[in-house]
Amino acid sequence: TPESLFDGKLTAYSRLASSISLGRDLEAGGSVARREDIRHEAEGLMKKRQPMLNDPLSPLSQSTLHAVQRHRDALQDYTRDFHRAKTNIQAALDKTNLLSNVRNDIDAYRTARSSDADSLRA
């Protein structure tokens, strides 16, 4: 079903946020491409569902209206969860980049101090 397909994509996307925040899967080969592929697939699935739920031309019975409302609610939940996962991934990437920049600055400072000390000894 479309819901289970989207749920699987959302779960995979959420796992990426967890693995990035733990420092894994950031530099691994293809991880950026894989993250973007999953994001695009999830966004595509959400966009496909919206026109089906918003068609004003189709006459709807009471049971159909109920089903459409249920699907609309599910889509809203999936959309909210997707945006939360997307935000978590961006926050994890920002944190990782910040930590990497701090480490690089510390290494550069140590290297500069070391070369200053070496020049004083000479």
Side-chain angles (χ1 to χ4, degrees):
T1 67
E3 286 83 10
S4 61
L5 181 62
F6 184 75
D7 191 42
K9 292 294 176 194
L10 186 59
T11 299
Y13 196 63
S14 296
R15 282 187 193 144
L16 284 173
S18 297
S19 62
I20 290 169
S21 66
L22 294 173
R24 291 184 241 133
D25 200 27
L26 184 63
E27 299 294 329
S31 65
V32 173
R34 184 172 52 132
R35 183 175 61 245
E36 289 301 307
D37 286 346
I38 293 172
R39 182 177 64 84
H40 286 298
E41 288 173 9
E43 286 174 338
L45 288 169
M46 282 189 301
K47 287 178 184 175
K48 269 189 208 177
R49 301 289 296 161
Q50 286 174 336
M52 288 188 264
L53 299 177
N54 295 325
D55 184 6
L57 300 177
S58 59
L60 303 175
S61 67
Q62 191 63 27
S63 62
T64 306
L65 281 173
H66 179 69
V68 167
Q69 185 57 47
R70 197 175 73 241
H71 287 293
R72 236 184 233 131
D73 293 343
L75 180 61
Q76 285 175 344
D77 291 343
Y78 284 134
T79 301
R80 183 190 62 242
D81 292 346
F82 172 75
H83 289 294
R84 183 180 303 133
K86 190 175 175 180
T87 300
N88 289 343
I89 285 175
Q90 190 58 53
L93 289 171
D94 291 345
K95 178 182 173 185
T96 301
N97 288 335
L98 177 64
L99 291 174
S100 176
N101 289 340
V102 168
R103 282 188 201 111
N104 291 341
D105 290 346
I106 290 170
D107 290 343
Y109 175 76
R110 286 181 181 159
T111 302
R113 281 197 53 147
S114 175
S115 48
D116 287 346
D118 287 345
S119 66
L120 290 175
R121 284 187 216 142

